[in-house]
Each structure stands twice: as structure tokens, then as C-alpha cells.
Amino acid sequence: MLSTAASLLAFAVPATVAGASTAPIGARPVLGTAVLDRLTGGDSQYANMVLSHYHMITPENATKWSVIEPQQGVFNFAPMDALVDFASRHHLQVQGLPLVWWTGNPSWLTDGNFSPAEMSAILQNHIRTIVSRYAGRVAIWNVVSEAVGFAVPNPFNSRIGPGYLDIAYRTARAADPTAKLYYNDMGGEIPAWRQTLALNMVHGFLARGVPLDGMGLEMHTTTSKIPVGPPLGATNSRPSAGQIGRTMRTYAKLGLDVAITEMDVRLFGPVTAKALKDQAKVYKLIYRACIKSPNCRSLTTWGFTDRYSWVPSWTDGAAGSALPFDRNYAPKPAAHVFFG
């Protein structure tokens, strides 16, 4: 998983590639994909696919706490440096995700016997160190992911209390006043209990003057209209165009941008022509909803090729084929939704 920035120079990648997405930087919505640093720096076909189709990248693993600060105060910047350098050379925007998450944390953090003051200092140092390093080069930081509605322990909430959220956002703003700061969560695209919890949090932010520029909607979903498979890591039901539109209008009224940050559409059962057509319809529904909402700034898929999708391993092989391109990088019907 880890690579050095130097490995990025192992092959030449053209600055522009024929067939690139027709939406340039500055257009709305920007199309993006999560990427693996070891592949942008070591697989020319993978890198060229990114450059041919996308204008924004998100690190799939490089900014997870266990990767970027595996030991207290010792930072491993090589994976994120590689991605930011790749983006800078090829004029791609960068969306950072996540800075703070309830999982993906190293054992020194989760098992350490830190006081509230010590944990607050650790949190601030982590965010300040990372955000300041990439100031002016990362356009958006999803500062906190999945802070509401989880029964699992959150090391920051358990040791600091809910005030850790304010600390995180204020620290990020001070470290780079130019970056957009988002809150990221799953299931929030549906007007239901999880969205209500997120809205309560947002109203508190706004009342206290906590800096927040937008909401990230993960959009891990499925073609099924009823809940299928593991609920964690996917929305419990497929959102409708009306639900997504209402959600985006709700945040627009609060002056907030919206970004679709981690979209994939998992398939259960045989990958038939009909299943792929149904998948394309879901991608199209959500893409159109974003286009119709002036505050929807970007749509990012969580990877672009089934070869490296997280879905099969997460679902123990029960689901897969969730992304617009298949394992051989061939476009599926879903790809034609975005790229014709």
C-alpha cells in the first residue's frame, strides 16, 4: 500500500489524454475518483485511466490515521505526497478524506491512556501537521467522517467529548484558511434519522461559529430498492431523486455545498446485462440530481475499476461489480453515464 513520491516518476504519463472528461476544472459538478497511491505511481494503465476521465482525486487510504501517523508524532507522508504531486503535475484537484474517523486508527491512539487534554493536543497536532503541509494544494478536506449514529466506540468522543468536533474544524481552518471544510457521512442523502442527527450537529456548528463549508454524502448504495447485505458501509436503501434533491436543498438553505464523496453501486448475484443496465440507472439518477442542484459541487466514485474495489472483501464476496469500469478497465454502462 505504501509508496514513495519518487516511484511516481517510474513512467511517463501524458499531461493531457484524448477522451478526457468533458467537464474541466471549474465546471460543476467536478468528477472525481478515489485512488491508490501505489497504483498512480506504479501502474501506467491505472494512472492514464485517472487522467483520461477525472479532474479530482481523493486518497483511498493515504490520509487514514493508521497510515499517515502510525506512531505518535511520526508521520508517513510518502503516500499522500505522491498523490498530491501527481495531482499538481496533471492539474487535478485534491479532496482529502478523512482527517478524523471513528475507525482506521492505530493502536497507540485507540489503546493509549490519554487524558482529555492530551487527546485534544494529539488531535490538534495531527490535523495541523497534515493540513498545513498541503495548504494550497488540497482544495477540500472532509475533516470528520461518520461522527453520528454509530454505536461503536469513537476514541475522540469517548476521551474528549463531542467538543472534539469543534476542535477539529477550528484547527483545520487555522492550518489552511483557503481549503473548503466538509463533514462526511453515509446514509445522509436520505431524509431520515441519520440525516436528522447530522443536521442537529450542523445547526450547532453554525450557532457556535464552527467553520463548515459543505456536506459530503458518501453514497455507497445498491441497485436494490430494499435493504440488501451488510448495513454498515452502505446506505440502507437506495435514495430516490426526490430524496437527494430535498437533501441538497436543505443544505443549500444553510449556505452549504454538497459533494458526493464515495459513490459506488454494488450488485448482488450474477452480473447480467440487465444488472449492469440497472446499475447505470442508479448512477444516472444520482448524477442528474447533482447536476440539478446548484450547490452540488462534485461527484466522486470510490475507485473507478472493479479490479481494486473494496466491496467484494467487505461483503465476503456477496456483492461486487460496483464501479463504472470492470476489472479489465473496460467501460460498463455506468461509465457511459459520465463519459458518453
Side-chain angles (χ1 to χ4, degrees):
M1 184 66 67
L2 304 183
S3 66
T4 63
S7 69
L8 200 56
L9 303 178
F11 60 89
V13 179
T16 59
V17 182
S21 168
T22 56
I25 290 179
R28 189 206 59 81
V30 175
L31 292 179
T33 181
V35 295
L36 296 164
D37 61 280
R38 64 183 174 86
L39 297 173
T40 56
D43 183 328
S44 60
Q45 186 175 12
Y46 182 96
N48 279 309
M49 287 289 292
V50 173
L51 296 177
S52 297
H53 296 89
Y54 299 100
H55 291 282
M56 183 167 70
I57 60 172
T58 298
E60 190 163 332
N61 294 311
T63 53
K64 290 176 180 175
W65 201 309
S66 59
V67 174
I68 202 166
E69 193 181 356
Q71 301 175 55
Q72 185 175 0
V74 179
F75 288 85
N76 171 30
F77 290 119
M80 187 59 173
D81 282 355
L83 291 181
V84 172
D85 290 347
F86 176 83
S88 297
R89 287 203 307 278
H90 301 293
H91 311 292
L92 304 175
Q93 293 182 16
V94 180
Q95 173 180 239
L97 184 160
L99 285 170
V100 183
W101 192 24
W102 62 270
T103 189
N105 297 306
S107 59
W108 71 261
L109 181 67
T110 57
D111 299 340
N113 187 25
F114 300 112
S115 69
E118 290 170 331
M119 196 68 164
S120 177
I122 289 168
L123 178 65
Q124 292 176 67
N125 182 65
H126 181 83
I127 294 173
R128 184 184 304 114
T129 301
I130 296 169
V131 175
S132 62
R133 182 180 183 88
Y134 302 111
R137 295 189 290 165
V138 172
I140 300 161
W141 282 107
N142 286 269
V143 178
V144 178
S145 287
E146 301 174 357
V148 301
F150 283 86
V152 294
N154 180 321
F156 311 99
N157 190 60
S158 62
R159 295 201 180 97
I160 301 172
Y164 86 89
L165 293 162
D166 293 33
I167 294 169
Y169 282 89
R170 294 187 192 281
T171 303
R173 176 66 88 219
D176 183 3
T178 68
K180 295 284 188 179
L181 306 182
Y182 286 10
Y183 171 74
N184 188 58
D185 214 330
M186 66 174 168
E189 57 271 13
I190 298 173
W193 66 273
R194 190 181 294 279
Q195 186 183 110
T196 298
L197 291 174
L199 278 168
N200 289 341
M201 181 193 71
V202 168
H203 283 295
F205 279 6
L206 298 177
R208 297 189 300 274
V210 176
L212 182 70
D213 300 301
M215 300 294 287
L217 308 177
E218 292 184 10
M219 209 68 73
H220 296 294
T221 188
T222 176
T223 55
S224 176
K225 293 183 179 180
I226 60 175
V228 175
L232 188 61
T235 53
N236 288 329
S237 60
R238 193 183 79 198
S240 68
Q243 288 173 324
I244 299 170
R246 286 195 297 276
T247 294
M248 292 183 177
R249 288 192 295 274
T250 295
Y251 289 124
K253 290 177 182 177
L254 297 175
L256 297 175
D257 292 343
V258 172
I260 295 169
T261 55
E262 303 183 24
M263 186 176 180
D264 47 37
V265 182
R266 61 189 64 183
L267 299 179
F268 291 84
V271 181
T272 63
K274 182 182 184 303
L276 292 174
K277 184 177 179 180
D278 290 343
Q279 180 184 62
K281 288 179 180 178
V282 177
Y283 272 107
K284 186 175 183 178
L285 179 152
I286 294 168
Y287 186 37
R288 281 186 168 180
C290 182
I291 290 170
K292 290 179 179 179
S293 301
N295 64 323
C296 186
R297 302 300 179 185
S298 62
L299 187 154
T300 293
T301 55
W302 202 244
F304 60 90
T305 170
D306 292 331
R307 180 176 297 192
Y308 301 110
S309 172
W310 73 301
V311 170
S313 60
W314 178 260
T315 61
D316 293 326
S321 196
L323 293 168
F325 296 87
D326 70 16
R327 293 181 60 84
N328 297 316
Y329 298 107
K332 294 150 65 175
H336 297 297
V337 170
F338 303 112
F339 310 114

